[in-house]
């Protein structure tokens, strides 16, 4: 396995600000390593993955990977090796980041034992371990121990001439000394770190930490002006390197504390000499300052604030007061939030997103009637709101016009749904589902509503969020399955065989796009704009989403064979996802093979359950008409009214998934020349005419032992129900079939034998659905025999089973 290539792909994703794709790349590669039984590759990738989870604060996921790392490392590596220790170190660091400090300490100590035995005391690996241990001790509040670890690390990196590591270690020591109250020593470490960073021309988060320690020193010493200047420099450093994140906000708070202290000092009573008494760095000042107003935590930076958070704060800070002040009588008519087009509405925005249509804004939705009354005034008031909030400015574009500010609900529906209907009870019927875009539907239901107003938009969103109509969902799956196979499973390799690399890459990308869309359709979710398809997969959850991200990364970054294999694996994952959700009948990985079934179900799904039961009964009766009996044509083959009632009575108890599956199976088999009614009666002959059955059984599909066991288990339950029904309604049951197979005669087939023959014709998927149905009824203490007979009585025109029993109605 090409580990180097995968790690290069990982680095490329980070460099291209596509960090969210790293997880998928690594999981997909781990899956391949597992298939190839490549333990060393798997361990390397697991170590990468635990680092990713640690950096993205997904600690529970990191803990799970930690267990796998220790298991794999124990199987393939000597315990007294650098590689084994490195794995333990990664586990320890993950536990530390997640707050499981005692667990982290235990693993660090295990690494320490190994390093002491196999490394020289001045190894850089030992310095790295001490730095990690020092951070742990800081979090445990053991700052003395932390300082000891850092001093050991500093001695090593200085001796090795590792200047950047020396600067980082001095910065860490500076912060630790501040925590211990060792101000002068902390000052020296901070000054030394800053000098080194300047020599190296490095301005990163560690440099900001050194500045922060120096700023804390000045504040504590009462040199507020100097502290303010240093904290401001640290703020600029952090903003440039990592953006205005949580650490930036802490530095800003410290800066403001220095400014406030300067103002307090200027207003206090005292002569200038007393004021200047604290302006000393030699520790001789007799004035001390409380550190409660500054934050000396120099831990790693948090993620940047999302646009949604900024906009929400902005609304409650300036928008809500404006509406309450100027439009108080209309507050019950005004809906406010952030939704629609835009990465911030999805929570997908990052630093790159801020170049257009981003910033402190929100949406104000009103009805046509309310807009007529106050629309222009609302727009004017909104336009007068500040265009900047907490340093974040609005960034507009022509394309983004009309997406924020005052919006009529009817216009919003028209833009995203293609209809001006604003009636929640009618909206689903008014949408042209075959032509409305997935991205529009997705945008309509995304984002947050902060004030629901008249409730209309909230209700509309809830209705749309129910997902695609069943028929449309099947049709979309059929289309994407066909396109996936056409592009990825067929044309990709053909293009490569012709040497057409450009078109091959297009086919590869097309296949990936359709695969992602399939997963959205499987979950009955709306696929967003193409550029957010991959990002949005995270919100779908499930193991398919996890595997898909990894497989997609392999497809896009692998060699020809890896890409082709990964496309096939992706087909398998998607087929299994559809099968598990009872959408398709089997797990054939060539997805185009499922398009016929999906399109047929799309057509069937346009009908109601009642209509489906009638359709099934009619196609069965047409098949029944073709059955040839030993003694000639049976009278019941000419009796549609009775046949229709009997069959519909049964199918009216089924759920919709069963109806769609059975109708598809039955019509598919008829098209292939296989009459399931003929097979059903033929299988019954195993009990009623065994010798004749031996002659004809070769014409029927062979049943596996597993399938036979399921059939017998179903029969046992249903026979029990029929026994209960017969005991309760002896007159009705006396006119029906006998119950047990042991009562069979050549021209008198029992209920049990008929049932066994019928369900033996079911496809594997249909039998699975039926078995789940029977088990579910059993768990709910429902009797299917009674339910079926109740339907028969109703269709015959009687009020109840009791009414039919009294009149001794013949229902057979």
């Amino acid at each position: 396995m090409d580990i180097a290539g995968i790690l290069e792909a990982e680095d490329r994703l980070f460099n291209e600000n596509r960090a969210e794709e790293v997880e998928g790349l690594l999981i997909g590669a781990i899956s391949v390593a597992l298939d190839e039984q490549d333990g060393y590759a798997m361990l390397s990738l697991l170590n990468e993955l635990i680092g990713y989870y640690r950096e993205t604060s997904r600690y529970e996921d990191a803990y799970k990977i930690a267990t796998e790392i220790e298991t794999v490392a124990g199987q393939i590596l000597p315990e007294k090796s650098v590689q084994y220790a490195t794995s333990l170190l990664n586990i320890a660091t993950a536990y530390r980041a997640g707050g499981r400090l005692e667990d982290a300490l235990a693993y660090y100590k295990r690494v320490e034992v190994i390093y002491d035995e196999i490394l020289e005391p001045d190894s850089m690996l030992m310095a790295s371990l001490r730095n990690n241990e020092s951070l742990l001790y800081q979090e445990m509040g053991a700052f003395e121990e932390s300082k000891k670890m850092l001093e050991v690390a500093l001695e090593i990196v200085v001796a090795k001439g590792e200047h950047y590591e020396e600067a980082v270690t001095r910065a860490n020591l500076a912060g630790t000394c501040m925590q211990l109250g060792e101000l002068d020593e902390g000052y020296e470490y901070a000054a030394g770190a800053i000098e080194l960073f300047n020599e190296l021309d490095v301005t990163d988060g560690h440099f900001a930490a050194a500045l922060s320690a120096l700023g804390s020193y000045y504040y504590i010493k009462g040199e507020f002006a100097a502290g303010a200047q240093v904290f401001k420099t640290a703020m600029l450093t952090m903003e440039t390197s990592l953006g205005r994140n949580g650490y930036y906000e802490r530095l800003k708070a410290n800066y403001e504390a220095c400014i406030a202290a300067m103002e307090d000092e200027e207003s206090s009573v005292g002569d200038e000499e007393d004021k200047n008494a604290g302006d000393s760095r030699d520790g001789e000042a007799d004035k001390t300052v409380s550190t409660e107003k500054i934050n000396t935590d120099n831990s790693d930076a948090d993620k940047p604030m999302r646009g949604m958070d900024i906009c929400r704060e902005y609304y409650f800070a300036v928008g809500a007061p404006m509406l309450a002040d100027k439009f108080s009588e209309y507050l019950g008519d005004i809906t406010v939030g952030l939704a629609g087009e835009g990465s911030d509405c999805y929570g997908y925005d990052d630093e790159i997103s801020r170049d257009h249509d981003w910033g402190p804004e929100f949406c104000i939705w009103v009805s046509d009637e309310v807009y007529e009354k106050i629309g222009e005034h609302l727009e004017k008031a909104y336009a007068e709101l500040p265009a900047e909030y907490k340093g974040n400015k609005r960034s507009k574009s022509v394309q983004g016009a009309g997406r924020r500010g005052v919006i009529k609900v009817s216009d919003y529906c028209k833009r995203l749904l293609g209809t001006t209907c604003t009636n929640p009870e009618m909206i689903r019927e008014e949408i042209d589902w075959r032509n409305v875009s997935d991205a529009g539907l997705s945008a309509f239901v995304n984002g947050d509503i902060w004030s629901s107003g008249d409730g209309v938009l909230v209700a509309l969103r809830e209705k749309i969020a129910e997902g695609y109509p069943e028929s449309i969902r099947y049709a979309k799956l059929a289309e994407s399955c066909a396109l996936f196979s056409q592009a990825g499973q067929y044309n990709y390799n053909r293009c490569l065989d012709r040497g057409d690399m450009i078109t091959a890459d297009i086919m590869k990308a097309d296949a990936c796009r359709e695969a992602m869309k399939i997963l959205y359709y499987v979950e009955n979710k709306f696929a967003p704009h193409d550029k957010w398809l991959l990002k949005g997969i995270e919100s779908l959850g499930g193991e398919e989403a996890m595997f898909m991200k990894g497989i997609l990364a392999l497809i896009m970054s692998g060699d020809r064979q890896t890409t082709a294999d990964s496309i096939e694996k992706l087909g398998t994952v998607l087929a299994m996802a559809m099968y598990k959700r009872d959408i398709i009948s089997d797990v054939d990985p060539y997805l185009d093979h499922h398009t016929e079934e999906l399109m047929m179900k799309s057509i069937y799904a346009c009908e109601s359950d009642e209509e489906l039961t009638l359709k099934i009964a009619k196609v069965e009766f047409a098949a029944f008409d073709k059955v040839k009996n030993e003694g000639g044509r049976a009278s019941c083959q000419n009796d549609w009214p009775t046949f229709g009632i009997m069959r519909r009575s049964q199918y009216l108890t089924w759920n919709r998934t069963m109806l769609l599956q059975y109708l598809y199976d039955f019509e598919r088999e008829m098209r292939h020349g296989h009459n399931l009614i003929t097979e059903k009666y033929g299988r019954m002959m195993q009990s009623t005419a065994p010798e004749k059955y031996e002659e004809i059984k070769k014409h029927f599909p062979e049943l596996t032992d597993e399938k036979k066991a399921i059939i017998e288990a179903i029969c046992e339950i249903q026979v029990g129900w029929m026994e209960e029904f017969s005991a309760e309604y002896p007159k009705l049951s006396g006119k029906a079939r006998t119950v047990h197979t042991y009562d069979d005669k050549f021209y008198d087939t029992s209920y049990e034998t008929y049932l066994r023959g019928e369900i033996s014709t079911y496809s594997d998927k249909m039998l699975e659905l039926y078995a789940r149905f029977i088990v579910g009824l059993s768990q709910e203490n429902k009797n299917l025999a009674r339910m079926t007979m109740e339907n028969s009585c109703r269709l015959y025109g009687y009020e109840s089973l009791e009414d039919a029993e009294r009149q001794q109605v013949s229902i057979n």
Side-chain angles (χ1 to χ4, degrees):
M1 187 172 188
D2 184 12
I3 291 293
I6 293 168
L7 297 182
E8 286 177 8
E10 179 187 6
D11 290 339
R12 186 164 61 251
L13 290 176
F14 278 120
N15 293 334
E16 294 173 359
N17 294 309
R18 296 160 57 196
E20 69 277 3
E21 299 176 38
V22 169
E23 178 188 19
L25 170 70
L26 294 176
I27 290 174
I30 289 168
S31 177
V32 173
L34 182 61
D35 290 343
E36 296 178 356
Q37 296 185 330
D38 188 341
Y40 290 97
M42 186 182 299
L43 182 60
S44 177
L45 294 165
L46 286 169
N47 277 307
E48 289 291 321
L49 185 58
I50 198 172
Y52 174 82
Y53 285 145
R54 183 186 70 242
E55 293 300 322
T56 54
S57 303
R58 292 173 57 181
Y59 302 122
E60 291 300 324
D61 290 325
Y63 303 152
K64 294 174 185 176
I65 298 300
T67 302
E68 295 186 39
I69 287 174
E70 189 162 9
T71 299
V72 175
Q75 292 171 346
I76 65 173
L77 295 175
E79 287 194 10
K80 295 180 180 179
S81 66
V82 169
Q83 294 87 346
Y84 187 80
T86 300
S87 294
L88 297 183
L89 187 63
N90 288 333
I91 293 172
T93 304
Y95 280 131
R96 176 179 63 78
R100 288 175 55 172
L101 305 184
E102 293 298 333
D103 290 328
L105 182 60
Y107 276 97
Y108 281 135
K109 290 303 180 185
R110 288 175 62 184
V111 175
E112 190 175 316
V113 169
I114 296 171
Y115 279 1
D116 283 342
E117 287 196 39
I118 66 174
L119 296 178
E120 295 297 324
D122 63 348
S123 167
M124 285 296 295
L125 290 174
M126 189 67 80
S128 175
L129 171 62
R130 299 309 183 194
N131 264 304
N132 277 292
E133 287 178 317
S134 75
L135 293 173
L136 174 64
Y137 283 126
Q138 283 186 25
E139 293 174 30
M140 298 175 78
F143 294 105
E144 290 286 357
E145 288 298 315
S146 174
K147 184 181 178 184
K148 290 178 183 177
M149 296 296 105
L150 288 168
E151 287 173 339
V152 172
L154 182 61
E155 184 178 350
I156 294 172
V157 296
V158 169
K160 293 287 187 180
E162 297 288 345
H163 299 304
Y164 177 74
E165 295 298 332
E166 180 185 349
V168 171
T169 307
R170 287 185 180 278
N172 291 338
L173 272 165
T176 301
C177 287
M178 292 301 158
Q179 294 282 358
L180 290 169
E182 298 171 351
L183 305 185
D184 292 336
E185 190 174 1
Y187 168 81
E188 294 299 331
Y189 281 127
I194 292 168
E195 183 179 353
L196 282 169
F197 282 125
N198 286 331
E199 289 176 2
L200 296 168
D201 196 23
V202 171
T203 54
D204 59 6
H206 295 293
F207 179 57
L211 291 169
S212 179
L214 184 61
S216 299
Y217 171 85
Y218 286 136
Y219 180 89
I220 296 169
K221 286 292 189 178
E223 298 185 32
F224 305 124
Q229 183 60 47
V230 173
F231 279 125
K232 190 165 187 178
T233 303
M235 288 165 58
L236 293 172
T237 300
M238 184 55 63
E239 182 177 20
T240 302
S241 61
L242 294 172
R244 295 191 175 189
N245 53 25
Y247 189 38
Y248 172 90
E249 294 299 329
R250 292 198 293 273
L251 292 169
K252 183 180 178 183
N254 290 348
Y255 166 75
E256 291 171 349
C258 289
I259 297 297
M262 288 170 61
E263 293 172 352
D264 289 344
E265 188 176 57
E266 289 173 1
S267 63
S268 65
V269 178
D271 58 51
E272 191 67 26
E273 190 173 315
D274 289 334
K275 289 181 184 178
N276 292 333
D279 288 342
S280 172
R281 215 166 39 231
D282 58 10
E284 296 177 359
D286 58 4
K287 166 172 142 181
T288 60
V289 180
S290 170
T291 62
E292 291 181 1
K293 293 185 179 180
I294 66 167
N295 190 329
T296 59
D297 180 7
N298 292 328
S299 60
D300 291 340
D302 300 326
K303 291 182 178 179
M305 285 184 71
R306 295 292 191 189
M308 179 66 72
D309 300 323
I310 293 169
C311 292
R312 185 188 298 108
E313 283 190 20
Y314 176 73
Y315 164 67
F316 285 107
V318 300
M322 178 273 287
L323 292 175
D325 178 47
K326 298 182 178 181
F327 303 96
S328 58
E329 62 182 297
Y330 291 97
L331 291 180
D333 301 311
I334 295 173
T335 301
V336 183
L338 186 68
E341 304 97 327
S343 57
D344 47 356
C345 298
Y346 288 92
Y348 299 163
D349 53 306
D350 52 26
E351 292 296 324
I352 296 175
S353 306
R354 303 185 179 199
D355 62 340
H356 69 90
D357 302 329
W358 190 94
E361 292 192 89
F362 53 89
C363 304
I364 301 174
W365 293 279
V366 294
S367 66
D368 288 8
E369 295 76 15
V370 172
Y371 187 85
E372 283 295 317
K373 296 175 183 178
I374 62 171
E376 291 185 8
H377 299 296
L378 260 179
E379 289 178 346
K380 183 175 184 297
Y382 182 85
E384 292 172 350
L385 293 175
E388 182 174 351
Y389 179 71
K390 288 191 173 180
N392 298 290
K393 298 180 181 179
R394 295 179 190 172
S395 177
K396 306 297 289 182
S397 72
V398 174
Q399 293 82 359
R403 295 180 178 180
R404 303 290 184 268
V406 182
I407 307 169
K408 289 193 288 186
V409 175
S410 59
D411 288 345
Y412 190 65
C413 291
K414 180 66 176 177
R415 187 171 81 242
L416 298 178
L417 305 180
T419 175
T420 57
C421 175
T422 59
N423 183 342
E425 298 306 315
M426 296 292 296
I427 187 65
R428 293 186 66 83
E429 287 71 31
E430 291 298 317
I431 292 175
D432 180 0
W433 288 96
R434 294 190 181 277
N435 292 305
V436 65
S437 72
D438 291 340
L441 293 163
S442 175
F444 191 83
V445 299
N446 76 5
D448 288 341
I449 300 297
W450 306 320
S451 178
S452 59
D454 59 12
V456 171
L457 181 60
V458 172
L460 288 168
R461 283 160 55 89
E462 289 174 352
K463 283 292 183 181
I464 301 303
E466 291 174 7
Y468 296 101
E470 189 177 31
S471 176
I472 298 298
R473 182 183 177 216
Y474 277 116
K476 284 184 172 291
L477 280 165
E479 180 182 29
S480 285
C481 283
L483 291 173
F484 172 81
S485 288
Q486 183 182 56
Q489 296 178 302
Y490 184 73
N491 281 329
Y492 170 68
N493 280 312
R494 290 169 65 85
C495 290
L496 288 178
D497 289 342
R498 294 188 179 106
D500 186 351
M501 302 300 296
I502 293 176
T503 307
D505 281 346
I506 293 172
M507 293 298 104
K508 182 167 63 173
D510 284 350
C512 289
R513 180 180 60 248
E514 297 307 322
M516 289 186 281
K517 289 168 69 173
I518 289 170
L519 196 56
Y520 282 94
Y521 300 149
V522 163
E523 297 293 343
N524 202 16
K525 302 293 185 183
F526 304 125
H529 189 284
D530 284 359
K531 66 181 178 181
W532 294 319
L533 282 172
L534 183 64
K535 181 66 177 177
I537 283 177
E538 295 175 3
S539 65
L540 299 179
E543 62 180 15
E544 292 94 356
M546 180 181 293
F547 280 119
M548 174 173 279
K549 291 185 69 177
I551 296 170
L552 290 173
L554 287 175
I555 289 172
M556 296 308 296
S557 62
D559 56 26
R560 174 176 181 172
Q561 191 59 51
T562 299
T563 296
D565 291 346
S566 298
I567 288 172
E568 288 307 305
K569 189 164 189 175
L570 187 53
T572 300
V573 169
L574 291 170
M576 183 60 72
M578 289 187 284
Y579 183 85
K580 283 165 52 179
R581 290 160 180 82
D582 304 326
I583 296 170
I584 57 176
S585 303
D586 59 65
V587 292
D588 186 339
Y590 194 82
L591 299 191
D592 194 32
H593 290 168
H594 301 290
T595 55
E596 178 196 78
E597 177 176 1
L598 292 165
M599 284 307 302
M600 291 304 297
K601 288 181 176 178
S602 173
I603 295 170
Y604 301 151
C606 294
E607 302 188 43
S608 67
D609 288 1
E610 287 272 356
E611 291 169 333
L612 286 172
T613 60
L614 180 58
K615 186 176 182 66
I616 291 172
K618 285 182 175 180
V619 298
E620 283 189 326
F621 191 66
F624 188 32
D625 182 64
K626 295 179 173 59
V627 174
K628 301 185 185 302
N629 296 294
E630 283 291 304
R633 187 175 178 82
S635 60
C636 56
Q637 287 180 284
N638 302 315
D639 185 4
W640 159 250
T642 300
F643 183 93
I645 287 175
M646 293 298 97
R647 300 309 288 171
R648 289 173 64 204
S649 297
Q650 173 180 326
Y651 297 132
L652 284 169
T653 66
W654 284 12
N655 61 51
R656 189 168 178 82
T657 302
M658 295 166 66
L659 295 172
L660 294 173
Q661 187 64 50
Y662 183 70
L663 179 56
Y664 169 71
D665 287 347
F666 198 93
E667 291 201 325
R668 177 196 61 207
E669 293 305 304
M670 288 298 291
R671 287 194 300 274
H672 294 165
H674 179 199
N675 189 327
L676 293 179
I677 302 297
T678 298
E679 181 186 340
K680 172 173 67 175
Y681 283 104
R683 287 190 181 278
M684 285 189 269
M685 294 172 69
Q686 185 174 13
S687 175
T688 60
E691 292 181 1
K692 185 64 177 177
Y693 175 76
E694 289 301 316
E695 296 177 15
I696 64 173
K697 68 178 183 180
K698 62 186 177 183
H699 300 295
F700 308 142
E702 187 174 350
L703 302 178
T704 64
D705 290 341
E706 180 183 9
K707 197 166 184 176
K708 289 177 182 177
I710 294 171
I711 291 168
E712 292 308 313
I714 291 171
C715 287
E716 182 179 355
I717 295 172
Q718 288 198 239
V719 166
W721 285 335
M722 183 55 76
E723 290 173 342
E724 291 176 7
F725 178 82
S726 298
E728 188 174 359
Y729 299 96
K731 294 178 181 178
L732 283 175
S733 61
K735 301 295 184 178
R737 297 177 183 275
T738 57
V739 176
H740 302 97
T741 293
Y742 53 70
D743 290 326
D744 281 342
K745 297 179 177 59
F746 183 73
Y747 289 109
D748 189 6
T749 305
S750 67
Y751 169 83
E752 180 181 0
T753 297
Y754 187 93
L755 172 66
R756 183 179 293 110
E758 180 157 290
I759 62 179
S760 293
T761 69
Y762 288 175
S763 68
D764 290 348
K765 171 52 75 172
M766 186 62 220
L767 185 63
E768 177 190 329
L769 294 173
Y770 190 76
R772 294 208 307 258
F773 171 66
I774 295 300
V775 171
L777 292 178
S778 179
Q779 291 173 340
E780 296 172 13
N781 293 317
K782 293 181 179 179
N783 185 320
L784 182 58
R786 180 188 179 100
M787 293 164 61
T788 304
M789 294 298 283
E790 283 175 339
N791 287 332
S792 295
C793 289
R794 178 176 59 81
L795 292 173
Y796 272 115
Y798 294 91
E799 294 181 359
S800 65
L801 284 171
E802 287 70 23
D803 183 30
E805 177 76 1
R806 282 194 303 271
Q807 298 190 46
Q808 302 181 45
V809 174
S810 175
I811 302 177
N812 48 43

